[in-house]
Structures are given as structure tokens and as C-alpha cells.
Amino acid sequence: MRVVTLVSVLALMAAAPAAFAMPAEPQTTAASAAATPTYTSAQFYDTTSFGMAYSGAKAFSPDGASVLISSDKTGVFNVYALPVAGGEPTALTASTTSAARAVSYFPADGRVLFTQDGGGDELDHLFVRAEDGTITDLTPGEKLKADFFGWSRDGKTFYVMSNGRDEAAFDIIAYDAATYEHRVVYQNPGEYSPAALSPDGRWLVLDKSLTSANNDLYLVDLTASGAEPTLLTPHTGDVAYGAYDFTPDSKAILIGTNEGGEFTQAIRQDLATGERTPVVQADWDTSFVFYSPSGRYRVSALNADAKTELTLLDTTTNRPVALTGLPDGDIGSVRFTDDESRIAFTVASDTSPSDVFVADLATGQAQRLTHALNPAIDEDVLVEATIVRYPGEGGVMVPAVLYRPTGASAANPAPAIVLVHGGPGGQTRRGYSAMVQHLVNHGYAVLGANNRGSSGYGKTFFHMDDKKHGEADLRDIVAGGEWLRQQDWVADDQVAVMGGSYGGYMTAAALAFHPDAFAAGVNIFGVTNWVRTLESIPAWWGANRTALFDEMGDPATDAERHRAISPLFHTDGITKPLLVVQGANDPRVLQVESDELVAAVRANNVPVEYVLFPNEGHGFTRRDNRITAQDAYLAFLDKYVRKTGE
């Protein structure tokens, strides 16, 4: 079944002190840097991105001959059937505008479900592609958002989550797989977010936000007429819960909770008795846990210091399944055939984007089906990340992901960038990024900072910035710039700040409130007016507004503080060059915010460059736009940070 795992509801924009860590000192020279080939942004983005069908859906075709994937092979994401035996994928959709994302095969035939929004407006609809290629919108309507929520065990029904009745509430709707006739099986009063549905279709788990640190899970029996939600998680104090999955027999729910300590642990809660037993316990957050269709295999993953550590456990032996024939990297997106003879999955690393593999579970032998990295790029030239920690105020150590360019040394210092993630509760993680690797390939060091308030480092660290945004968390970013300047291999007068979404806010705020901290800033889809942003949160955020306003402050009562931390109202402090990137269809950060920021900073006679994309929303879905933006980043940084034009 489709499940909602523990994530920050603050997708608006994604610990105890640790020992101070320095990156390894590579032996590099200016000559080695000169010998390193450089590649264009077009070459980096000619790399193909792949995504799997939904977890809990049907990723394999009924005959087992193909895997359902999404790919931006054409420059726009479309849905493809990827042959398990090898060979080129077959396109099942042909969008040239909005991204189409693979959801599921039908259990008994070649029909396919997929989602698509309107040019980045995030109002996804669920579509079906018939075997003859005909495409039908199963969830038509204006200002409606819908998503797949799972299959019934017999494959005759699939479930959809939709706010078509009420923009602020997601109902659960059952669709007949043959006729597409549908009926509402749960009408949401608006205070809950659907979280998980049992394989037998009887039990629905609902998530109710109380604060940003506290929530409850409820259980509804969909077979009982007029049944009311029953509390699953009675507790005292601040405790976070999330529904990972049901057990295959529908008798228990797998729950993530930080009730026992700093990190999210996985437990099993019996629906009949309420008894809880531990499933995964570690000194890192458990990202997800789910079972194969019969329950023989259990898949779980830890978010271990910004890296995914996945375990595929055979419960009959209580031992991990050993897979052979794989490159180094993190395994993700595991999908099973119905008979559990094979899995499809992805493998990715710092220097290699996600590729799709299949493996025979009897032998463990894996087979590679895709080659995502542009063959024109030598992977050995790309840079592996290291994890560092630098001091913030109050004794807090700030975790960060560092990319050091080849050839950077005291004799040949590199320009550098502090990269700020979205969120505010997001996390900069290890893994392939064409944006980062392109900048590093052109000589820039990149420090992906995880300022206080970031997820992945315990609940204390995560909540350090509650209603304190633009304060100590921002100073953590400034401290990241100072740490870079202290490295003898960094040019101390050539350090910039850059980020997207909440990271874009932090970029503009750093320039406005700490004008001497950075040489320039790149603001990508960034909030600059918190008053307007919080007042214009889309209706479909529904019950998640409670946690958002607890984290950021309610615009009805905290507007004065929101104004105080908003760069738009303090542009007189911005004296360093600024690049602003914006999508015209962005429903979260409205174009008017960037328009006003650009006009205000230009009025200061400060260099400002503005790149506006008419066919993007809150992030990029088109390859041509990614290339345009990447070229703008490098040209701007070269001009105002490296100052190659002087």
C-alpha cells in the first residue's frame, strides 16, 4: 500500500556535539588541476535521471518482462517500460511540457497509472494509460490535487487520495480497476492527513499534527459504517510518530517514533492488543521500513550521517540478502515482483547518478539496466564528498558535506560556496548532484551545510530553530563561510552563499543581515517575504498548516517577527551581487517575491541578475531550464566571486 513516512511537513522550501572533523588532505597541485578535464553544464545535464514506480505499487509488468520507471531522457520526465532482459526503454507517455511520473502497472494487464501536474504548479492528477495508448485523467477538476494510495490485495480496486471535495482535506477514494467507477471510503473532516492503508483495505491510518514536535496517529475501520478515528498513539509530552507500512497480514502497523530518544526508531504495533515490539533501533533516524508482499523480506534504511544505509533482510533466516555484481553506492527504491523472485532497485553515489538494476533473490546476482551518467564524462574526474563538522555558536557542531575540487591547495586556493538546503527542516545529503559536480569541476569548493534545524541529527538539533529562523541557524551558515576561509586551500576573499527554497531565503538573509560575510549570493526559488508566503500557503497543505505555523509562527500573530527576518524589508543591507532564479508557476514562493527583491536591490545600485522561467514551479522539471540556470550560476560566480572578468 501507499504509505507516508516520517518527513518534515515543512517541505515548503527537507544532535549531540560531535568531534571537530577535518577533511583528508589530498596531494594536489595547480598542475593536477590543470590536467583535470572540465565539462559543460549541458554535458552534466545530458546525464539521464531515473525514478522508480511508487513503493507498494506494481513496479513490474504482469509478465515480469519490464520495470515501470520515470526518465527525463527527452529533457522532460516521462513514463517508460524498461526491459528486464536489457535494452532501450519504451516510452509510454510523450509529454513535452509537464513532468509525467510513473506510479504503477495494473496487476493483470499492461495499463499504467501515472501522475502529472500543470507546469510545476504541484496540482498533480492521476492518469491511466490504456494498452492502446489512450490516456485518461481519472481525477479531473480545477485546483485539485490527487495521488495514488495503494492497491487492494486482489488487484480489483485501487485507492486515490484527493482534495476534490474540499481543497483543504484529502479524502480516500476507491476506484474499480475495470470500470474506474469510484466512491469515497473515507471523508476527511480536514484535521487529518492520510498516512497508510492496510493491504486488505480495511484499516486507514491518519496523522494529526499537534505541533511541529508532536503528533498523533489514528486508526479508522473502513468496513464499519460511520466509524470514527481511534487514537493509536496515546502519550504525554512532545513525541513524533509516522506510519511506515502495515504488515502483509494487515494485523499490525509499523510506526516510526522518537519517543525513546533523539532518533526515530521503528516499532511494530499490534492492532488487536496494542502491544509494541522494536523492529529497527539505531543511533540514526530510520528512514523507512516495509515488507515484500508475503512478508518474507523486510527492507529498512537508516539516514546515517547524510548517507542511506539500506538492509534487505530475509526474515526466514534473519540475515541480510547479499547482492553481487554492484558498483559502490547506496541502494534505494527497492521494488519486488509479486512472487518475490526478483527485485528492481537503484544504486547511486557521489559521482554516479541513480541507475536501475534488477537482481535474482535466489542467487543475489544483480544486472544493470541503465547507464545514467553521460558517457562523455569520466567518472574518475568527479569528486567524492567528505563529512566535516565545524563550530557554530553555543558549542553546537554543524555537520556538513564537503566537496573539495581537484588541485585546491595553499599554493592554488579555490573559490568556495556555502550551499544551504531547503526546508527549513531539510538536510544536505551525500549523493550525486549535477549542479554541485559541475561547480566543483570548474574549481569551486562546495560546503553543503546542515545548520541547526536540519533533520537527521536528532530531535534536539532539529528543533533548535523553532520560531528562531534567520537567527542562530543563519549564523551557522555565516560560520560555514568563516570555516571555509580558515582552510589554507580556500581563497578567503572568494566565498559565496547559495541555496534553493528555504536555502534561497538563507542566501538573501545572509546578504541582508550579514553583508560582509559573503562575496555574493545565488537565491534559487527563495522566500524573501515571510508575511506573504505564510499567508498564501496553498489550501492543500490542510492539516499540515498546524505544524508549519508552530515551526515558523502564525502569520496572524507573528507578522512582526516575520517582517523582521524577511530580506525583502531589509534590502538596504544588501551590498553584494545577487543572482535570483524563479519559476513563474511556483505555488509556494510567488514570483512577485523575487520581482520585488530584484527591484529593491537594483535600487541600491547593487549588481543583480534575474533568471525567470515561465514553465517551472518550485524547482526544475525540464533539462533545458536546468542547463540555463547552471550556466547562469557559473557565469555569475566567475564574474563576482572568482572575478575572472577583471
Side-chain angles (χ1 to χ4, degrees):
M1 286 296 179
R2 173 84 162 143
V3 299
V4 178
T5 60
L6 276 179
V7 294
S8 169
V9 297
L10 301 175
L12 177 63
M13 315 299 134
F20 182 72
M22 294 289 292
E25 185 73 25
Q27 299 300 309
T28 55
T29 65
S32 67
T36 301
T38 56
Y39 303 105
T40 66
S41 63
Q43 286 176 303
F44 272 101
Y45 282 106
D46 199 27
T47 290
T48 305
S49 297
F50 296 104
M52 301 292 286
Y54 279 22
S55 177
K58 306 291 183 181
F60 286 86
S61 58
D63 61 5
S66 62
V67 179
L68 191 67
I69 64 168
S70 307
S71 170
D72 66 349
K73 179 181 179 181
T74 64
V76 176
F77 274 98
N78 275 286
V79 181
Y80 293 82
L82 181 64
V84 169
E88 288 297 308
T90 299
L92 301 180
T93 64
S95 176
T96 59
T97 53
S98 300
R101 309 279 185 175
V103 171
S104 180
Y105 275 112
F106 276 66
D109 57 62
R111 289 176 293 163
V112 165
L113 293 170
F114 68 94
T115 62
Q116 192 169 17
D117 74 354
D121 64 5
E122 300 184 30
L123 296 177
D124 298 279
H125 287 210
L126 184 66
F127 295 82
V128 60
R129 180 193 185 274
E131 290 181 294
D132 65 1
T134 304
I135 291 174
T136 303
D137 185 353
L138 297 174
T139 55
E142 296 294 324
K143 297 192 184 225
L144 173 150
K145 186 175 177 68
D147 205 356
F148 176 78
F149 206 65
W151 281 102
S152 63
R153 182 175 285 148
D154 62 11
K156 295 180 178 180
T157 303
F158 60 90
Y159 298 91
V160 175
M161 182 171 68
S162 171
N163 68 345
R165 178 188 59 84
D166 179 346
E167 285 185 62
F170 284 92
D171 298 331
I172 302 300
I173 304 168
Y175 277 71
D176 185 290
T179 66
Y180 309 131
E181 292 181 358
H182 51 278
R183 60 188 177 86
V184 175
V185 294
Y186 178 71
Q187 183 169 302
N188 189 349
E191 60 193 289
Y192 304 107
S193 298
L197 187 64
S198 62
D200 62 6
R202 177 180 178 181
W203 302 107
L204 172 67
V205 176
L206 301 169
D207 187 320
K208 183 176 182 179
S209 294
L210 303 174
T211 69
S212 63
N214 192 19
N215 71 302
D216 269 315
L217 299 180
Y218 288 80
L219 188 69
V220 180
D221 185 348
L222 298 182
T223 64
S225 178
E228 292 295 320
T230 301
L231 182 63
L232 272 176
T233 54
H235 65 280
T236 58
D238 287 340
V239 181
Y241 298 95
Y244 290 126
D245 197 6
F246 279 86
T247 54
D249 60 9
S250 299
K251 293 181 179 180
I253 178 75
L254 299 174
I255 292 174
T257 179
N258 60 14
E259 186 170 14
E262 281 292 316
F263 294 98
T264 299
Q265 311 290 289
I267 59 174
R268 177 189 186 276
Q269 182 164 329
D270 187 277
L271 296 185
T273 67
E275 180 184 2
R276 292 180 173 183
T277 53
V279 177
V280 180
Q281 295 182 303
D283 289 331
W284 295 108
D285 285 336
T286 303
S287 300
F288 55 81
V289 185
F290 64 91
Y291 285 96
S292 62
S294 76
R296 174 176 177 176
Y297 299 100
R298 190 184 76 207
V299 183
S300 61
L302 300 177
N303 178 5
D305 215 7
K307 180 179 173 65
T308 299
E309 293 184 354
L310 183 140
T311 300
L312 173 58
L313 185 77
D314 186 338
T315 62
T316 64
T317 64
N318 205 35
R319 293 186 177 185
V321 175
L323 300 177
T324 59
L326 294 177
D328 290 338
D330 291 352
I331 296 174
S333 301
V334 177
R335 308 290 185 260
F336 291 87
T337 55
D338 283 343
D339 64 5
E340 300 178 359
S341 62
R342 287 179 296 177
I343 55 172
F345 55 95
T346 60
V347 179
S349 69
D350 294 339
T351 59
S352 177
S354 292
D355 272 304
V356 181
F357 290 73
V358 291
D360 185 307
L361 287 176
T363 65
Q365 181 61 44
Q367 176 187 353
R368 187 175 194 151
L369 299 184
T370 65
H371 289 81
L373 187 67
N374 182 351
I377 294 177
D378 179 358
E379 185 178 344
D380 291 338
V381 168
L382 305 184
V383 173
E384 289 275 352
T386 56
I387 301 298
V388 301
R389 283 171 167 79
Y390 62 84
E393 65 182 56
V396 173
M397 299 301 293
V398 181
V401 182
L402 177 67
Y403 295 83
R404 177 173 175 169
T406 302
S409 66
N412 184 46
I417 301 162
V418 178
L419 182 65
V420 194
H421 62 65
Q427 183 189 28
T428 297
R429 292 172 47 79
R430 294 190 62 168
Y432 184 80
S433 165
M435 180 187 77
V436 169
Q437 289 289 355
H438 176 253
L439 293 171
V440 176
N441 181 243
H442 284 260
Y444 286 86
V446 176
L447 181 73
N450 283 308
N451 52 272
R452 69 193 71 199
S454 301
S455 57
Y457 304 99
K459 62 187 179 185
T460 299
F461 191 85
F462 180 73
H463 290 290
M464 280 183 175
D465 67 342
D466 287 1
K467 294 185 180 176
K468 298 176 184 176
H469 302 88
E471 299 177 20
D473 62 342
L474 178 58
R475 292 191 289 272
D476 285 344
I477 300 307
V478 173
E482 182 58 31
W483 182 86
L484 283 169
R485 284 187 286 272
Q486 292 170 0
Q487 312 310 306
D488 63 5
W489 53 270
V490 171
D492 59 11
D493 61 343
Q494 297 179 21
V495 179
V497 61
M498 176 178 184
S501 195
Y502 186 79
Y505 157 68
M506 294 281 265
T507 294
L511 297 189
F513 302 118
H514 300 271
D516 297 324
F518 297 101
V522 179
N523 166 10
I524 308 165
F525 309 109
V527 176
T528 60
N529 179 352
W530 281 109
V531 178
R532 179 190 288 123
T533 295
L534 292 171
E535 287 178 345
S536 59
I537 294 298
W540 52 263
W541 275 60
N544 286 331
R545 288 170 182 253
T546 301
L548 173 63
F549 290 167
D550 180 72
E551 164 94 4
M552 293 297 306
D554 190 327
T557 56
D558 293 320
E560 183 176 348
R561 187 178 66 84
H562 294 153
R563 187 179 182 88
I565 65 172
S566 295
L568 181 62
F569 304 117
H570 304 277
T571 53
D572 55 339
I574 299 179
T575 60
K576 301 296 173 60
L578 174 65
L579 170 62
V580 177
V581 175
Q582 176 70 42
N585 299 328
D586 194 331
R588 304 179 182 218
V589 179
L590 304 181
Q591 179 188 329
V592 65
E593 291 204 23
S594 292
D595 292 346
E596 291 176 351
L597 178 69
V598 168
V601 178
R602 280 179 177 162
N604 294 345
N605 294 316
V606 174
V608 182
E609 297 182 11
Y610 189 21
V611 183
L612 177 65
F613 293 99
N615 52 0
E616 295 286 9
H618 196 66
F620 293 109
T621 59
R622 298 175 58 93
R623 179 183 294 146
D624 56 348
N625 291 339
R626 294 189 196 102
I627 294 169
T628 299
Q630 192 72 30
D631 286 339
Y633 306 153
L634 183 60
F636 174 84
L637 293 167
D638 281 349
K639 182 176 181 180
Y640 293 110
V641 178
R642 184 180 270 157
K643 300 181 180 178
T644 54
E646 292 185 355

